[in-house]
Amino acid sequence: FDQIFWVLESRRAASSSRRTSAGTQARPIVAMLEKLDLLLVACFTGFVQIGVWVVVPLGAVYALTRYFYAASAVFAMYALSYLDGAECKVTKNRTWPTFSRRFWLFTFFRRVYQQRVHLPPGFDPPQFILALHPHGSMADYRVILDGQLLEMMGRASGKVRWLAASVLFRLPIVRELCLWTGCVDARREVAEQVLSQGLSIGVIPGGELEQVQTVHGHDAVYLKKRLGFVKLALRFGVPLVPAYVFGCVDLYKTSKVAYSARLALVRHLGIAIPICWGAFGLPLTPLRQPIDIVIGEPIDVGHRPQPTGEEVEAAHAKYMQALEQLYESNKAKFGCANRRLDVR
């Protein structure tokens, strides 16, 4: 993969040089390379979303069949890591900052998505709960955001833990990607551990339900019934930080095929199966669309160790108002001037 990446980059640089000297002659080559970029993104996304369920079991069976003793030793060593519960124990820190910043695939994704992060001036709270909206058909932006925040944050740099669905930690390879980029299990007791250790939390409140409800070109957030992250902020006295991801609902075309069945899977099993496609009509292949993550000002919701229902609802209403203001004040900058935010 490294060799493929650097070959593509060298060809891109060469085509850029030719474009400078030969005007429009190199444009077809650049366009071809840009299309290849999207296909490579689709390959990785497809492997993580679908392929890992097939490739890993088949690879394990093949290895045990051909190299039983060696494979058994490798699997036994991996089991020690797989079963250690690092996703639920904050003290078992598996974050890998260099990986988040410099892993070639992440830097490649940032360039393809043209992902930019916009922080308010002087943003430097020591601890907070950062909420990203919306989830979108895919949330690749979250994985590559971790490395960007490491470069941009002040006192909180390297101290953000992202809440992720429990099922992700059951999948080899996906588990490691999550742990290395700062993810922990999304259960309440784990989130409480994170905050009690003085760390910050990153969360996508809409979760899997928002993922399957994503409609191409429609800015919508599933938030009215998401009170858990607000209650955490009140209990630990940390500010809430809203963030809107402009462009993520435009990356893929979406379908309502088998929508009821997919919705039931989310509600009963916590498994989201998005049906989406993009460039060339291929599944999981994104359209060429920039991603702009706009982070708002911290919202002080106070400190209530045992908040009442009314206090939680009041803080939640304050947060929703701040999110809508963040959206309205920035939407024209990122090509969404004629849209309205649908808060569900």
Side-chain angles (χ1 to χ4, degrees), residues 1-15 33 36-37 40 101-108 111:
F1 283 118
D2 285 330
Q3 292 177 352
I4 293 173
F5 176 72
W6 289 115
V7 166
L8 289 172
E9 288 299 300
S10 62
R11 289 182 178 177
R12 187 184 311 282
S15 67
L33 290 174
L36 186 58
D37 285 347
L40 288 175
R101 286 191 186 103
R102 300 177 183 175
F103 180 42
W104 69 266
L105 194 58
F106 293 170
T107 58
F108 174 71
R111 180 175 56 75

Side-chain angles (χ1 to χ4, degrees), residues 119-130 152-157 159-160 198-201 237-242 295-300:
L119 286 174
F123 183 90
D124 191 24
Q127 190 180 22
F128 51 83
I129 295 179
L130 172 64
M152 301 175 71
M153 289 289 182
R155 289 176 290 176
S157 180
K159 297 179 180 179
V160 180
L199 302 172
S200 296
I201 281 178
V238 298
L240 290 167
V241 178
I295 296 176
E297 295 284 354
I299 304 167
D300 183 9

Side-chain angles (χ1 to χ4, degrees), residues 1 7 9 67 77 95 97-98 136 145 153 186-187 191 200 227 235 246 269 275 288-289 337-338 343:
F1 283 118
V7 166
E9 288 299 300
Y67 313 101
M77 288 188 290
T95 58
T98 302
L145 172 62
M153 289 289 182
R187 283 181 284 183
S200 296
L227 304 176
R235 288 188 57 203
F246 289 94
L269 299 177
I275 298 179
R288 180 68 64 173
Q289 170 65 43
N338 296 324
V343 181

Side-chain angles (χ1 to χ4, degrees), residues 25-258:
Q25 293 181 0
R27 288 181 182 174
I29 298 176
V30 173
M32 180 187 70
L33 290 174
E34 289 178 347
K35 292 177 180 179
L36 186 58
D37 285 347
L38 299 176
L39 289 174
L40 288 175
V41 169
C43 289
F44 175 76
T45 303
F47 173 75
V48 171
Q49 295 288 332
I50 302 172
V52 71
W53 298 86
V54 178
V55 175
V56 172
L58 290 180
V61 171
Y62 176 80
L64 287 170
T65 302
R66 296 293 302 273
Y67 313 101
F68 178 78
Y69 294 107
S72 296
V74 170
F75 293 157
M77 288 188 290
Y78 177 70
L80 296 176
S81 170
Y82 182 83
L83 299 173
D84 72 349
E87 70 277 14
C88 297
K89 300 174 183 177
V90 179
T91 54
K92 290 182 177 292
N93 184 9
R94 293 281 186 80
T95 58
W96 187 357
T98 302
F99 178 76
S100 290
R101 286 191 186 103
R102 300 177 183 175
F103 180 42
W104 69 266
L105 194 58
F106 293 170
T107 58
F108 174 71
F109 268 50
R110 290 183 194 116
R111 180 175 56 75
V112 172
Y113 285 145
Q114 304 170 64
Q115 181 161 305
R116 297 171 296 182
V117 181
H118 308 268
L119 286 174
F123 183 90
D124 191 24
Q127 190 180 22
F128 51 83
I129 295 179
L130 172 64
L132 298 174
H133 310 270
H135 188 291
S137 296
M138 298 291 164
D140 295 336
Y141 64 81
R142 202 294 307 167
V143 179
I144 59 180
L145 172 62
D146 187 62
Q148 291 176 299
L149 291 182
L150 286 170
E151 302 286 352
M152 301 175 71
M153 289 289 182
R155 289 176 290 176
S157 180
K159 297 179 180 179
V160 180
R161 298 294 179 266
W162 298 91
L163 303 185
S166 301
V167 67
L168 298 178
F169 297 100
R170 302 293 174 262
L171 302 173
I173 300 177
V174 176
R175 171 185 172 82
E176 279 62 50
L177 287 174
C178 289
L179 291 174
W180 293 344
T181 58
C183 291
V184 295
D185 195 287
R187 283 181 284 183
R188 177 178 54 81
E189 57 268 26
V190 179
E192 291 173 348
Q193 280 187 54
V194 172
L195 294 174
S196 64
Q197 293 290 325
L199 302 172
S200 296
I201 281 178
V203 62
I204 305 178
E208 296 92 343
L209 191 57
E210 191 173 75
Q211 183 178 13
V212 297
Q213 289 182 340
T214 297
V215 175
H216 175 75
H218 181 60
D219 287 320
V221 294
Y222 187 82
L223 184 58
K224 289 183 177 180
K225 296 182 180 180
R226 301 299 199 195
L227 304 176
F229 72 107
V230 177
K231 188 174 182 179
L232 276 173
L234 282 167
R235 288 188 57 203
F236 287 86
V238 298
L240 290 167
V241 178
Y244 197 85
V245 186
F246 289 94
C248 77
V249 298
D250 301 302
L251 281 174
Y252 298 94
K253 301 288 186 179
T254 54
S255 172
K256 289 291 186 180
V257 170

